[in-house]
């Protein structure tokens, strides 16, 4: 197996995780009504803007993760495992609750280290 073959496998796994991530987003959006989505979107937008103050190049790092073979796969695999444990521990929660948890955890981590 050549290095090119290994890179192609890594990029295919990254693409698979991108599709799974996209599917989860579409599924989450389709299960909510419009008003709830707008309210949740405003809360997440505020948290994202605060996080972007601490990590201004976060979007670029996410894009780079999907360009490096296997990096997006491992990143999303870890995030999916984290989601499963979050939903097992916190019954009757939604994806919105997990996203708020992740944003606030990252913001608090930066505030405590800074």
């Amino acid at each position: 197996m050549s290095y090119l073959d290994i890179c192609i496998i890594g990029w295919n796994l990254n693409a698979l995780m991108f599709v799974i991530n996209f599917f989860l987003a579409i599924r989450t959006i389709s299960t909510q009504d419009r008003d709830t989505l707008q309210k949740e979107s405003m809360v997440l937008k505020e948290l994202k803007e605060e996080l972007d103050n601490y990590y201004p190049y976060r979007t670029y790092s996410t894009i780079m993760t999907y360009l490096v073979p296997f990096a997006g796969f491992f990143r999303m695999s870890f995030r999916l495992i984290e989601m499963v444990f979050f939903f097992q521990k916190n019954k009757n929660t939604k994806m919105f609750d997990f996203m708020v948890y992740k944003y606030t955890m990252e913001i608090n981590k930066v505030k405590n280290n800074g």
Side-chain angles (χ1 to χ4, degrees), residues 7-21 63-76:
C7 287
I8 289 172
I9 290 170
W11 286 320
N12 286 336
L13 288 173
N14 286 353
L16 173 69
M17 285 302 175
F18 182 80
V19 169
I20 290 172
N21 194 16
I63 292 170
M64 290 302 296
T65 300
Y66 283 103
L67 296 177
V68 174
F70 296 104
F73 172 74
F74 290 124
R75 180 177 184 263
M76 275 304 298

Side-chain angles (χ1 to χ4, degrees), residues 8-114:
I8 289 172
I9 290 170
W11 286 320
N12 286 336
L13 288 173
N14 286 353
L16 173 69
M17 285 302 175
F18 182 80
V19 169
I20 290 172
N21 194 16
F22 187 72
F23 173 73
L24 284 173
I26 295 298
R27 193 177 125 222
T28 301
I29 290 170
S30 66
T31 60
Q32 298 290 330
D33 63 86
R34 186 169 186 215
D35 293 332
T36 305
L37 280 175
Q38 285 180 339
K39 290 175 187 173
E40 290 176 353
S41 178
M42 292 303 293
V43 171
L44 291 174
K45 181 181 176 189
E46 291 173 8
L47 288 170
K48 183 185 176 301
E49 287 173 355
E50 185 176 353
L51 188 62
D52 284 344
N53 289 333
Y54 297 111
Y55 297 112
Y57 301 110
R58 192 171 62 86
T59 303
Y60 300 119
S61 68
T62 301
I63 292 170
M64 290 302 296
T65 300
Y66 283 103
L67 296 177
V68 174
F70 296 104
F73 172 74
F74 290 124
R75 180 177 184 263
M76 275 304 298
S77 296
F78 177 73
R79 185 65 48 94
L80 290 173
I81 291 169
E82 192 176 20
M83 280 184 211
V84 168
F85 286 137
F86 178 82
F87 291 130
Q88 283 179 351
K89 185 176 181 181
N90 303 298
K91 301 293 183 195
N92 299 323
T93 56
K94 303 180 298 185
M95 185 64 75
F96 170 74
D97 300 320
F98 176 73
M99 293 174 71
V100 168
Y101 164 75
K102 285 301 292 178
Y103 277 135
T104 54
M105 189 177 79
E106 288 294 321
I107 291 168
N108 290 335
K109 188 186 311 181
V110 171
K111 285 181 179 179
N112 291 336
N113 288 336

